[in-house]
mmCIF file of all heavy atoms in Angstrom:
data_model
loop_
_atom_site.group_PDB
_atom_site.id
_atom_site.type_symbol
_atom_site.label_atom_id
_atom_site.label_comp_id
_atom_site.label_asym_id
_atom_site.label_seq_id
_atom_site.Cartn_x
_atom_site.Cartn_y
_atom_site.Cartn_z
ATOM 1 N N GLU A 1 -0.699 -9.617 14.967
ATOM 2 C CA GLU A 1 -0.493 -9.126 13.595
ATOM 3 C C GLU A 1 -1.614 -8.167 13.203
ATOM 4 O O GLU A 1 -1.384 -7.164 12.518
ATOM 5 C CB GLU A 1 -0.433 -10.305 12.636
ATOM 6 C CG GLU A 1 0.839 -11.142 12.791
ATOM 7 C CD GLU A 1 0.840 -12.357 11.881
ATOM 8 O OE1 GLU A 1 -0.236 -12.635 11.269
ATOM 9 O OE2 GLU A 1 1.881 -13.022 11.774
ATOM 10 N N ARG A 2 -2.837 -8.481 13.621
ATOM 11 C CA ARG A 2 -3.958 -7.582 13.322
ATOM 12 C C ARG A 2 -3.755 -6.236 14.006
ATOM 13 O O ARG A 2 -3.984 -5.179 13.404
ATOM 14 C CB ARG A 2 -5.261 -8.227 13.772
ATOM 15 C CG ARG A 2 -6.486 -7.369 13.489
ATOM 16 C CD ARG A 2 -7.744 -8.079 13.945
ATOM 17 N NE ARG A 2 -8.919 -7.233 13.759
ATOM 18 C CZ ARG A 2 -10.142 -7.562 14.147
ATOM 19 N NH1 ARG A 2 -10.344 -8.734 14.743
ATOM 20 N NH2 ARG A 2 -11.147 -6.751 13.939
ATOM 21 N N LEU A 3 -3.312 -6.275 15.264
ATOM 22 C CA LEU A 3 -3.030 -5.026 15.968
ATOM 23 C C LEU A 3 -1.915 -4.245 15.275
ATOM 24 O O LEU A 3 -1.969 -3.018 15.158
ATOM 25 C CB LEU A 3 -2.642 -5.317 17.421
ATOM 26 C CG LEU A 3 -3.780 -5.635 18.394
ATOM 27 C CD1 LEU A 3 -3.219 -6.077 19.734
ATOM 28 C CD2 LEU A 3 -4.678 -4.420 18.572
ATOM 29 N N THR A 4 -0.902 -4.963 14.826
ATOM 30 C CA THR A 4 0.216 -4.299 14.144
ATOM 31 C C THR A 4 -0.240 -3.619 12.863
ATOM 32 O O THR A 4 0.132 -2.471 12.577
ATOM 33 C CB THR A 4 1.320 -5.321 13.831
ATOM 34 O OG1 THR A 4 1.780 -5.915 15.057
ATOM 35 C CG2 THR A 4 2.501 -4.655 13.138
ATOM 36 N N ARG A 5 -1.079 -4.341 12.070
ATOM 37 C CA ARG A 5 -1.589 -3.732 10.836
ATOM 38 C C ARG A 5 -2.434 -2.507 11.146
ATOM 39 O O ARG A 5 -2.345 -1.482 10.462
ATOM 40 C CB ARG A 5 -2.419 -4.765 10.055
ATOM 41 C CG ARG A 5 -1.605 -5.851 9.403
ATOM 42 C CD ARG A 5 -2.433 -6.608 8.371
ATOM 43 N NE ARG A 5 -3.637 -7.197 8.953
ATOM 44 C CZ ARG A 5 -3.684 -8.405 9.508
ATOM 45 N NH1 ARG A 5 -2.601 -9.163 9.558
ATOM 46 N NH2 ARG A 5 -4.819 -8.870 10.001
ATOM 47 N N LEU A 6 -3.268 -2.619 12.180
ATOM 48 C CA LEU A 6 -4.125 -1.491 12.530
ATOM 49 C C LEU A 6 -3.300 -0.280 12.943
ATOM 50 O O LEU A 6 -3.540 0.845 12.485
ATOM 51 C CB LEU A 6 -5.066 -1.904 13.666
ATOM 52 C CG LEU A 6 -5.995 -0.813 14.216
ATOM 53 C CD1 LEU A 6 -6.930 -0.311 13.121
ATOM 54 C CD2 LEU A 6 -6.807 -1.340 15.401
ATOM 55 N N ILE A 7 -2.317 -0.497 13.778
ATOM 56 C CA ILE A 7 -1.473 0.616 14.237
ATOM 57 C C ILE A 7 -0.681 1.203 13.085
ATOM 58 O O ILE A 7 -0.550 2.428 12.947
ATOM 59 C CB ILE A 7 -0.552 0.136 15.380
ATOM 60 C CG1 ILE A 7 -1.390 -0.216 16.617
ATOM 61 C CG2 ILE A 7 0.479 1.201 15.730
ATOM 62 C CD1 ILE A 7 -0.596 -0.884 17.721
ATOM 63 N N ASN A 8 -0.132 0.348 12.223
ATOM 64 C CA ASN A 8 0.633 0.846 11.078
ATOM 65 C C ASN A 8 -0.251 1.666 10.136
ATOM 66 O O ASN A 8 0.174 2.715 9.618
ATOM 67 C CB ASN A 8 1.268 -0.322 10.321
ATOM 68 C CG ASN A 8 2.420 -0.942 11.081
ATOM 69 O OD1 ASN A 8 3.021 -0.297 11.949
ATOM 70 N ND2 ASN A 8 2.740 -2.203 10.775
ATOM 71 N N ASP A 9 -1.476 1.196 9.910
ATOM 72 C CA ASP A 9 -2.382 1.942 9.036
ATOM 73 C C ASP A 9 -2.746 3.295 9.652
ATOM 74 O O ASP A 9 -2.828 4.321 8.951
ATOM 75 C CB ASP A 9 -3.657 1.137 8.780
ATOM 76 C CG ASP A 9 -3.406 -0.047 7.846
ATOM 77 O OD1 ASP A 9 -2.324 -0.076 7.228
ATOM 78 O OD2 ASP A 9 -4.291 -0.915 7.746
ATOM 79 N N MET A 10 -2.976 3.306 10.954
ATOM 80 C CA MET A 10 -3.292 4.570 11.615
ATOM 81 C C MET A 10 -2.116 5.541 11.533
ATOM 82 O O MET A 10 -2.294 6.737 11.282
ATOM 83 C CB MET A 10 -3.674 4.318 13.079
ATOM 84 C CG MET A 10 -5.028 3.612 13.246
ATOM 85 S SD MET A 10 -5.315 3.076 14.943
ATOM 86 C CE MET A 10 -5.175 4.645 15.795
ATOM 87 N N LEU A 11 -0.906 5.046 11.739
ATOM 88 C CA LEU A 11 0.279 5.902 11.628
ATOM 89 C C LEU A 11 0.454 6.417 10.200
ATOM 90 O O LEU A 11 0.837 7.568 9.977
ATOM 91 C CB LEU A 11 1.526 5.135 12.077
ATOM 92 C CG LEU A 11 1.614 4.824 13.578
ATOM 93 C CD1 LEU A 11 2.840 3.963 13.868
ATOM 94 C CD2 LEU A 11 1.694 6.135 14.379
ATOM 95 N N TYR A 12 0.151 5.559 9.229
ATOM 96 C CA TYR A 12 0.272 5.970 7.824
ATOM 97 C C TYR A 12 -0.691 7.115 7.511
ATOM 98 O O TYR A 12 -0.323 8.119 6.884
ATOM 99 C CB TYR A 12 -0.006 4.767 6.933
ATOM 100 C CG TYR A 12 0.313 4.992 5.470
ATOM 101 C CD1 TYR A 12 1.580 4.737 4.975
ATOM 102 C CD2 TYR A 12 -0.658 5.475 4.592
ATOM 103 C CE1 TYR A 12 1.880 4.936 3.640
ATOM 104 C CE2 TYR A 12 -0.371 5.680 3.253
ATOM 105 C CZ TYR A 12 0.899 5.406 2.783
ATOM 106 O OH TYR A 12 1.190 5.620 1.470
ATOM 107 N N LEU A 13 -1.932 6.973 7.965
ATOM 108 C CA LEU A 13 -2.919 8.030 7.734
ATOM 109 C C LEU A 13 -2.553 9.298 8.485
ATOM 110 O O LEU A 13 -2.765 10.415 7.974
ATOM 111 C CB LEU A 13 -4.308 7.544 8.158
ATOM 112 C CG LEU A 13 -4.952 6.505 7.246
ATOM 113 C CD1 LEU A 13 -6.236 5.977 7.862
ATOM 114 C CD2 LEU A 13 -5.233 7.095 5.869
ATOM 115 N N ALA A 14 -2.016 9.165 9.692
ATOM 116 C CA ALA A 14 -1.611 10.349 10.447
ATOM 117 C C ALA A 14 -0.493 11.094 9.727
ATOM 118 O O ALA A 14 -0.493 12.327 9.648
ATOM 119 C CB ALA A 14 -1.163 9.943 11.853
ATOM 120 N N ARG A 15 0.452 10.372 9.168
ATOM 121 C CA ARG A 15 1.532 11.011 8.404
ATOM 122 C C ARG A 15 0.991 11.667 7.145
ATOM 123 O O ARG A 15 1.441 12.755 6.755
ATOM 124 C CB ARG A 15 2.596 9.974 8.046
ATOM 125 C CG ARG A 15 3.354 9.409 9.244
ATOM 126 C CD ARG A 15 4.335 8.354 8.807
ATOM 127 N NE ARG A 15 5.334 8.930 7.905
ATOM 128 C CZ ARG A 15 6.150 8.204 7.138
ATOM 129 N NH1 ARG A 15 6.033 6.877 7.127
ATOM 130 N NH2 ARG A 15 7.036 8.797 6.370
ATOM 131 N N ALA A 16 0.013 11.021 6.504
ATOM 132 C CA ALA A 16 -0.590 11.622 5.303
ATOM 133 C C ALA A 16 -1.336 12.902 5.658
ATOM 134 O O ALA A 16 -1.256 13.908 4.941
ATOM 135 C CB ALA A 16 -1.528 10.625 4.633
ATOM 136 N N ASP A 17 -2.073 12.884 6.784
ATOM 137 C CA ASP A 17 -2.817 14.080 7.188
ATOM 138 C C ASP A 17 -1.878 15.237 7.498
ATOM 139 O O ASP A 17 -2.218 16.401 7.252
ATOM 140 C CB ASP A 17 -3.677 13.770 8.413
ATOM 141 C CG ASP A 17 -4.852 12.850 8.067
ATOM 142 O OD1 ASP A 17 -5.169 12.754 6.870
ATOM 143 O OD2 ASP A 17 -5.419 12.247 8.997
ATOM 144 N N ARG A 18 -0.720 14.972 8.052
ATOM 145 C CA ARG A 18 0.219 16.031 8.429
ATOM 146 C C ARG A 18 1.146 16.416 7.289
ATOM 147 O O ARG A 18 2.027 17.256 7.465
ATOM 148 C CB ARG A 18 1.051 15.577 9.637
ATOM 149 C CG ARG A 18 0.232 15.336 10.899
ATOM 150 C CD ARG A 18 1.099 14.873 12.039
ATOM 151 N NE ARG A 18 2.132 15.862 12.353
ATOM 152 C CZ ARG A 18 3.120 15.664 13.220
ATOM 153 N NH1 ARG A 18 3.205 14.495 13.854
ATOM 154 N NH2 ARG A 18 4.009 16.607 13.455
ATOM 155 N N GLY A 19 0.952 15.814 6.113
ATOM 156 C CA GLY A 19 1.773 16.178 4.967
ATOM 157 C C GLY A 19 3.188 15.661 5.038
ATOM 158 O O GLY A 19 4.092 16.239 4.416
ATOM 159 N N LEU A 20 3.399 14.581 5.801
ATOM 160 C CA LEU A 20 4.749 14.043 5.939
ATOM 161 C C LEU A 20 5.097 13.042 4.845
ATOM 162 O O LEU A 20 6.256 12.636 4.733
ATOM 163 C CB LEU A 20 4.904 13.369 7.314
ATOM 164 C CG LEU A 20 4.709 14.291 8.530
ATOM 165 C CD1 LEU A 20 4.868 13.500 9.817
ATOM 166 C CD2 LEU A 20 5.702 15.444 8.487
ATOM 167 N N LEU A 21 4.099 12.630 4.054
ATOM 168 C CA LEU A 21 4.354 11.700 2.956
ATOM 169 C C LEU A 21 4.572 12.472 1.665
ATOM 170 O O LEU A 21 3.756 13.307 1.292
ATOM 171 C CB LEU A 21 3.178 10.729 2.800
ATOM 172 C CG LEU A 21 2.893 9.807 3.996
ATOM 173 C CD1 LEU A 21 1.703 8.909 3.694
ATOM 174 C CD2 LEU A 21 4.115 8.959 4.315
ATOM 175 N N ARG A 22 5.663 12.225 1.011
ATOM 176 C CA ARG A 22 5.984 12.893 -0.242
ATOM 177 C C ARG A 22 6.140 11.832 -1.331
ATOM 178 O O ARG A 22 7.138 11.095 -1.352
ATOM 179 C CB ARG A 22 7.290 13.697 -0.119
ATOM 180 C CG ARG A 22 7.202 14.862 0.853
ATOM 181 C CD ARG A 22 6.361 15.978 0.253
ATOM 182 N NE ARG A 22 6.381 17.175 1.081
ATOM 183 C CZ ARG A 22 5.565 17.420 2.072
ATOM 184 N NH1 ARG A 22 4.634 16.513 2.379
ATOM 185 N NH2 ARG A 22 5.638 18.524 2.776
ATOM 186 N N PRO A 23 5.156 11.707 -2.222
ATOM 187 C CA PRO A 23 5.262 10.677 -3.260
ATOM 188 C C PRO A 23 6.399 10.966 -4.229
ATOM 189 O O PRO A 23 6.665 12.124 -4.585
ATOM 190 C CB PRO A 23 3.902 10.736 -3.965
ATOM 191 C CG PRO A 23 3.388 12.111 -3.683
ATOM 192 C CD PRO A 23 3.916 12.483 -2.340
ATOM 193 N N ALA A 24 7.080 9.897 -4.615
ATOM 194 C CA ALA A 24 8.123 10.032 -5.632
ATOM 195 C C ALA A 24 7.486 10.261 -6.993
ATOM 196 O O ALA A 24 6.275 10.062 -7.185
ATOM 197 C CB ALA A 24 8.992 8.776 -5.645
ATOM 198 N N GLN A 25 8.308 10.671 -7.959
ATOM 199 C CA GLN A 25 7.829 10.914 -9.309
ATOM 200 C C GLN A 25 8.602 10.007 -10.269
ATOM 201 O O GLN A 25 9.710 10.324 -10.700
ATOM 202 C CB GLN A 25 8.004 12.391 -9.699
ATOM 203 C CG GLN A 25 7.132 13.348 -8.922
ATOM 204 C CD GLN A 25 5.657 13.123 -9.177
ATOM 205 O OE1 GLN A 25 5.225 13.031 -10.322
ATOM 206 N NE2 GLN A 25 4.882 13.007 -8.104
ATOM 207 N N GLU A 26 8.016 8.856 -10.542
ATOM 208 C CA GLU A 26 8.623 7.899 -11.459
ATOM 209 C C GLU A 26 7.551 7.389 -12.410
ATOM 210 O O GLU A 26 6.359 7.385 -12.080
ATOM 211 C CB GLU A 26 9.240 6.740 -10.678
ATOM 212 C CG GLU A 26 8.267 6.064 -9.713
ATOM 213 C CD GLU A 26 8.945 5.000 -8.873
ATOM 214 O OE1 GLU A 26 9.794 4.284 -9.427
ATOM 215 O OE2 GLU A 26 8.620 4.885 -7.680
ATOM 216 N N ARG A 27 8.015 6.964 -13.588
ATOM 217 C CA ARG A 27 7.046 6.465 -14.563
ATOM 218 C C ARG A 27 6.549 5.100 -14.124
ATOM 219 O O ARG A 27 7.333 4.214 -13.762
ATOM 220 C CB ARG A 27 7.672 6.373 -15.950
ATOM 221 C CG ARG A 27 6.646 6.053 -17.036
ATOM 222 C CD ARG A 27 7.283 5.979 -18.410
ATOM 223 N NE ARG A 27 6.252 5.800 -19.435
ATOM 224 C CZ ARG A 27 5.688 4.642 -19.728
ATOM 225 N NH1 ARG A 27 6.029 3.552 -19.075
ATOM 226 N NH2 ARG A 27 4.773 4.565 -20.688
ATOM 227 N N ILE A 28 5.225 4.936 -14.117
ATOM 228 C CA ILE A 28 4.611 3.689 -13.650
ATOM 229 C C ILE A 28 3.778 3.100 -14.770
ATOM 230 O O ILE A 28 2.869 3.761 -15.291
ATOM 231 C CB ILE A 28 3.718 3.950 -12.414
ATOM 232 C CG1 ILE A 28 4.504 4.638 -11.303
ATOM 233 C CG2 ILE A 28 3.123 2.645 -11.916
ATOM 234 C CD1 ILE A 28 3.649 5.075 -10.142
ATOM 235 N N ASP A 29 4.070 1.855 -15.130
ATOM 236 C CA ASP A 29 3.228 1.104 -16.056
ATOM 237 C C ASP A 29 2.176 0.406 -15.213
ATOM 238 O O ASP A 29 2.452 -0.587 -14.526
ATOM 239 C CB ASP A 29 4.077 0.099 -16.835
ATOM 240 C CG ASP A 29 3.282 -0.563 -17.959
ATOM 241 O OD1 ASP A 29 2.032 -0.632 -17.835
ATOM 242 O OD2 ASP A 29 3.890 -0.999 -18.937
ATOM 243 N N LEU A 30 0.974 0.906 -15.216
ATOM 244 C CA LEU A 30 -0.072 0.382 -14.346
ATOM 245 C C LEU A 30 -0.437 -1.058 -14.687
ATOM 246 O O LEU A 30 -0.810 -1.836 -13.797
ATOM 247 C CB LEU A 30 -1.310 1.282 -14.437
ATOM 248 C CG LEU A 30 -1.115 2.717 -13.900
ATOM 249 C CD1 LEU A 30 -2.369 3.545 -14.147
ATOM 250 C CD2 LEU A 30 -0.791 2.678 -12.405
ATOM 251 N N ALA A 31 -0.340 -1.450 -15.942
ATOM 252 C CA ALA A 31 -0.651 -2.840 -16.325
ATOM 253 C C ALA A 31 0.318 -3.798 -15.654
ATOM 254 O O ALA A 31 -0.075 -4.872 -15.148
ATOM 255 C CB ALA A 31 -0.611 -2.989 -17.840
ATOM 256 N N VAL A 32 1.602 -3.434 -15.624
ATOM 257 C CA VAL A 32 2.608 -4.295 -14.986
ATOM 258 C C VAL A 32 2.326 -4.414 -13.495
ATOM 259 O O VAL A 32 2.414 -5.492 -12.900
ATOM 260 C CB VAL A 32 4.019 -3.730 -15.248
ATOM 261 C CG1 VAL A 32 5.061 -4.522 -14.449
ATOM 262 C CG2 VAL A 32 4.346 -3.789 -16.726
ATOM 263 N N GLU A 33 1.964 -3.284 -12.858
ATOM 264 C CA GLU A 33 1.688 -3.302 -11.424
ATOM 265 C C GLU A 33 0.458 -4.150 -11.105
ATOM 266 O O GLU A 33 0.449 -4.919 -10.128
ATOM 267 C CB GLU A 33 1.485 -1.868 -10.914
ATOM 268 C CG GLU A 33 2.683 -0.964 -11.066
ATOM 269 C CD GLU A 33 3.862 -1.425 -10.215
ATOM 270 O OE1 GLU A 33 3.637 -2.095 -9.186
ATOM 271 O OE2 GLU A 33 5.006 -1.101 -10.577
ATOM 272 N N ILE A 34 -0.586 -4.036 -11.905
ATOM 273 C CA ILE A 34 -1.795 -4.824 -11.656
ATOM 274 C C ILE A 34 -1.517 -6.319 -11.837
ATOM 275 O O ILE A 34 -1.986 -7.168 -11.044
ATOM 276 C CB ILE A 34 -2.940 -4.362 -12.575
ATOM 277 C CG1 ILE A 34 -3.319 -2.903 -12.259
ATOM 278 C CG2 ILE A 34 -4.141 -5.272 -12.440
ATOM 279 C CD1 ILE A 34 -3.795 -2.687 -10.842
ATOM 280 N N ASP A 35 -0.753 -6.667 -12.869
ATOM 281 C CA ASP A 35 -0.427 -8.082 -13.091
ATOM 282 C C ASP A 35 0.366 -8.643 -11.916
ATOM 283 O O ASP A 35 0.162 -9.796 -11.496
ATOM 284 C CB ASP A 35 0.364 -8.243 -14.383
ATOM 285 C CG ASP A 35 -0.496 -7.976 -15.625
ATOM 286 O OD1 ASP A 35 -1.746 -8.009 -15.484
ATOM 287 O OD2 ASP A 35 0.070 -7.728 -16.702
ATOM 288 N N ALA A 36 1.278 -7.841 -11.364
ATOM 289 C CA ALA A 36 2.047 -8.295 -10.199
ATOM 290 C C ALA A 36 1.143 -8.507 -8.994
ATOM 291 O O ALA A 36 1.317 -9.474 -8.231
ATOM 292 C CB ALA A 36 3.143 -7.278 -9.880
ATOM 293 N N LEU A 37 0.168 -7.646 -8.811
ATOM 294 C CA LEU A 37 -0.779 -7.806 -7.705
ATOM 295 C C LEU A 37 -1.658 -9.033 -7.911
ATOM 296 O O LEU A 37 -2.023 -9.724 -6.939
ATOM 297 C CB LEU A 37 -1.639 -6.547 -7.565
ATOM 298 C CG LEU A 37 -0.917 -5.294 -7.046
ATOM 299 C CD1 LEU A 37 -1.843 -4.084 -7.079
ATOM 300 C CD2 LEU A 37 -0.425 -5.517 -5.605
ATOM 301 N N PHE A 38 -2.021 -9.321 -9.147
ATOM 302 C CA PHE A 38 -2.818 -10.525 -9.421
ATOM 303 C C PHE A 38 -2.051 -11.775 -8.999
ATOM 304 O O PHE A 38 -2.641 -12.730 -8.447
ATOM 305 C CB PHE A 38 -3.166 -10.604 -10.898
ATOM 306 C CG PHE A 38 -4.350 -9.737 -11.285
ATOM 307 C CD1 PHE A 38 -4.747 -9.628 -12.614
ATOM 308 C CD2 PHE A 38 -5.070 -9.054 -10.331
ATOM 309 C CE1 PHE A 38 -5.834 -8.844 -12.983
ATOM 310 C CE2 PHE A 38 -6.160 -8.276 -10.685
ATOM 311 C CZ PHE A 38 -6.539 -8.163 -12.001
ATOM 312 N N GLU A 39 -0.754 -11.793 -9.241
ATOM 313 C CA GLU A 39 0.047 -12.934 -8.822
ATOM 314 C C GLU A 39 0.040 -13.072 -7.305
ATOM 315 O O GLU A 39 0.003 -14.185 -6.767
ATOM 316 C CB GLU A 39 1.481 -12.786 -9.333
ATOM 317 C CG GLU A 39 1.606 -12.869 -10.844
ATOM 318 C CD GLU A 39 3.053 -12.736 -11.301
ATOM 319 O OE1 GLU A 39 3.948 -12.666 -10.421
ATOM 320 O OE2 GLU A 39 3.285 -12.694 -12.520
ATOM 321 N N PHE A 40 0.040 -11.913 -6.612
ATOM 322 C CA PHE A 40 0.049 -11.948 -5.143
ATOM 323 C C PHE A 40 -1.280 -12.471 -4.598
ATOM 324 O O PHE A 40 -1.321 -13.242 -3.628
ATOM 325 C CB PHE A 40 0.335 -10.542 -4.610
ATOM 326 C CG PHE A 40 0.307 -10.441 -3.117
ATOM 327 C CD1 PHE A 40 1.379 -10.850 -2.357
ATOM 328 C CD2 PHE A 40 -0.814 -9.936 -2.461
ATOM 329 C CE1 PHE A 40 1.352 -10.763 -0.959
ATOM 330 C CE2 PHE A 40 -0.857 -9.840 -1.075
ATOM 331 C CZ PHE A 40 0.233 -10.261 -0.327
ATOM 332 N N PHE A 41 -2.410 -12.048 -5.222
ATOM 333 C CA PHE A 41 -3.730 -12.454 -4.741
ATOM 334 C C PHE A 41 -4.247 -13.738 -5.402
ATOM 335 O O PHE A 41 -5.371 -14.163 -5.107
ATOM 336 C CB PHE A 41 -4.751 -11.331 -5.002
ATOM 337 C CG PHE A 41 -4.592 -10.141 -4.114
ATOM 338 C CD1 PHE A 41 -4.039 -8.970 -4.606
ATOM 339 C CD2 PHE A 41 -4.989 -10.179 -2.786
ATOM 340 C CE1 PHE A 41 -3.901 -7.862 -3.807
ATOM 341 C CE2 PHE A 41 -4.854 -9.077 -1.976
ATOM 342 C CZ PHE A 41 -4.302 -7.909 -2.477
ATOM 343 N N ASP A 42 -3.453 -14.330 -6.248
ATOM 344 C CA ASP A 42 -3.944 -15.463 -7.044
ATOM 345 C C ASP A 42 -4.378 -16.640 -6.162
ATOM 346 O O ASP A 42 -5.436 -17.240 -6.392
ATOM 347 C CB ASP A 42 -2.859 -15.914 -8.029
ATOM 348 C CG ASP A 42 -3.366 -17.012 -8.945
ATOM 349 O OD1 ASP A 42 -4.298 -16.748 -9.729
ATOM 350 O OD2 ASP A 42 -2.841 -18.139 -8.850
ATOM 351 N N ALA A 43 -3.582 -16.975 -5.137
ATOM 352 C CA ALA A 43 -3.917 -18.133 -4.288
ATOM 353 C C ALA A 43 -5.225 -17.887 -3.541
ATOM 354 O O ALA A 43 -6.090 -18.792 -3.467
ATOM 355 C CB ALA A 43 -2.771 -18.403 -3.312
ATOM 356 N N TRP A 44 -5.376 -16.699 -2.986
ATOM 357 C CA TRP A 44 -6.606 -16.394 -2.245
ATOM 358 C C TRP A 44 -7.815 -16.402 -3.174
ATOM 359 O O TRP A 44 -8.872 -16.954 -2.858
ATOM 360 C CB TRP A 44 -6.440 -15.036 -1.556
ATOM 361 C CG TRP A 44 -7.623 -14.606 -0.727
ATOM 362 C CD1 TRP A 44 -8.516 -15.427 -0.099
ATOM 363 C CD2 TRP A 44 -8.039 -13.266 -0.450
ATOM 364 N NE1 TRP A 44 -9.465 -14.696 0.566
ATOM 365 C CE2 TRP A 44 -9.185 -13.349 0.369
ATOM 366 C CE3 TRP A 44 -7.555 -12.019 -0.803
ATOM 367 C CZ2 TRP A 44 -9.854 -12.224 0.819
ATOM 368 C CZ3 TRP A 44 -8.198 -10.895 -0.336
ATOM 369 C CH2 TRP A 44 -9.351 -10.990 0.461
ATOM 370 N N ALA A 45 -7.658 -15.798 -4.366
ATOM 371 C CA ALA A 45 -8.760 -15.757 -5.320
ATOM 372 C C ALA A 45 -9.109 -17.159 -5.804
ATOM 373 O O ALA A 45 -10.294 -17.519 -5.952
ATOM 374 C CB ALA A 45 -8.398 -14.864 -6.497
#
């Protein structure tokens, strides 16, 4: 799993460097997104 994460992260950065990633344009409520992430990290924290 560690190898998989490492390879996936490297591929992600390679795509970003080559301009292959195109971010969508949608309205984002950052407070809602942060609260959702807190729920995900709550057990570890």
